[in-house]
């Protein structure tokens, strides 16, 4: 990794995986390709769509453009019942990723898109409301990784203009009782067509205890008429903290 500890801890695997919820999830409504000027806006069951997406597993494949260029494929397995590392009941999905970027990419992009599909990472969800929960991992007697709080499942009935917070989190390195970073996963619903809506998730991460932004990760899904989700795109807005002094940079992912 090329990042310092606070930036790398959030910018590595959580870069969006949280796009599920997981859904890491995330872009501007205009990127959805829908008709935001539609004369009517449907009412759809976001809870059912979100729950189906997490429990059923998913696969996204798309192109990477902007500051980094290439392709990215990410897979989440259907959830299975299990436990967190400290014994709490959980639904567990396993994520893997395969990246391919142009050969002359900069060091940031080579690190950010460095996965070859050989690693499978578990993510844990509450069995009842299917919101993300803490893994229960520790290191040196301290929490390790993301610790989630303030979880709230998406509502069953939404229309354009709805918004909320899925959860907030702090991120520990396991070397200190003080988190390295903190953030939130919020969402909003925008108009799309007469029968569909756009579900936009926004992951925001800052240096813990400050207002120093590390990144925003914005993912857009279509809520289909049958209350399922289709991933459309993601925009990662990385600040110079994440790029290690290379300035504020934007990465776009467009899914097939």
């Amino acid at each position: 990794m090329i990042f310092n500890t606070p930036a790398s801890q959030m910018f590595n695997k959580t870069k969006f995986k949280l796009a599920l919820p997981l859904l890491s999830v995330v872009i501007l409504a205009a990127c959805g390709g829908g008709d935001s000027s539609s004369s009517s806006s449907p009412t759809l069951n976001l809870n059912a769509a979100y729950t189906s997406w997490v429990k059923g597993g998913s696969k996204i494949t798309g192109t990477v453009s902007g500051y980094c260029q290439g392709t990215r494929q990410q897979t989440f397995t259907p959830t299975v019942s299990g436990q967190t590392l400290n014994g709490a009941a959980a639904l567990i999905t396993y994520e893997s990723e395969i990246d391919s970027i142009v050969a002359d990419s900069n060091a940031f992009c080579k690190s950010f898109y460095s996965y070859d599909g050989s690693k499978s990472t578990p993510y844990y969800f509450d069995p009842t409301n299917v919101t993300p929960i803490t893994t229960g991992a520790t290191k040196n007697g301290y929490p390790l990784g993301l610790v989630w709080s303030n979880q709230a499942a998406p509502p069953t009935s939404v229309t354009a203009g709805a918004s909320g917070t899925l959860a907030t989190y702090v991120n520990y390195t396991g070397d200190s009782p003080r988190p390295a970073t903190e953030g939130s996963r919020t969402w909003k619903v925008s108009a799309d067509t007469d029968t569909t809506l756009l579900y936009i998730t926004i992951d925001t991460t800052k240096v813990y205890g400050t207002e120093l932004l590390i990144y925003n990760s914005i993912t857009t899904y279509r809520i289909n008429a049958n209350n399922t989700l289709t991933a459309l795109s993601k925009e990662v807005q990385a600040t110079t903290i994440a790029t290690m002094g290379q300035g504020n940079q934007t990465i776009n992912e467009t899914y097939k």
Side-chain angles (χ1 to χ4, degrees), residues 34-241:
D35 179 8
S36 61
S37 62
S38 174
S39 60
S40 63
S41 179
T43 298
L44 298 175
N45 189 334
L46 177 56
N47 186 280
Y50 166 84
T51 299
S52 175
W53 177 266
V54 177
K55 286 186 174 182
S58 62
K59 182 177 181 178
I60 58 171
T61 301
T63 58
V64 178
S65 61
Y67 189 57
C68 304
Q69 299 181 5
T71 62
R72 175 173 176 252
Q73 177 180 296
Q74 182 185 40
T75 302
F76 288 92
T77 64
T79 59
V80 295
S81 297
Q83 294 182 335
T84 64
L85 298 179
N86 59 350
L91 295 175
I92 307 172
T93 180
Y94 294 87
E95 180 269 348
S96 60
E97 181 175 336
I98 300 174
D99 303 324
S100 178
I101 59 173
V102 296
D104 60 349
S105 295
N106 58 61
F108 171 89
C109 295
K110 288 180 178 179
S111 179
F112 193 62
Y113 291 101
S114 62
Y115 303 103
D116 61 6
S118 62
K119 183 177 181 180
S120 180
T121 303
Y123 290 86
Y124 301 83
F125 296 86
D126 183 272
T128 301
N129 60 23
V130 200
T131 52
I133 58 175
T134 306
T135 67
T138 60
K139 177 183 177 183
N140 299 324
Y142 302 126
L144 178 63
L146 296 176
V147 175
W148 296 90
S149 59
N150 303 312
Q151 295 97 325
T156 58
S157 179
V158 296
T159 189
S163 62
T165 298
L166 186 70
T168 59
Y169 50 85
V170 293
N171 193 34
Y172 292 87
T173 65
D175 297 316
S176 168
R178 179 181 173 85
T181 58
E182 62 184 342
S184 63
R185 181 168 302 150
T186 60
W187 59 267
K188 61 182 180 180
V189 174
S190 295
D192 189 33
T193 72
D194 287 348
T195 59
T196 64
L197 294 167
L198 295 179
Y199 170 55
I200 303 160
T201 64
I202 305 98
D203 280 337
T204 297
T205 293
K206 301 176 181 179
V207 176
Y208 181 76
T210 77
E211 291 301 312
L212 293 174
L213 180 67
I214 300 174
Y215 73 84
N216 289 319
S217 180
I218 308 165
T219 304
T220 295
Y221 307 84
R222 174 166 287 122
I223 311 175
N224 301 305
N226 63 349
N227 296 315
T228 60
L229 292 180
T230 299
L232 300 177
S233 55
K234 179 185 293 184
E235 180 179 291
V236 179
Q237 302 167 346
T239 70
T240 192
I241 296 175

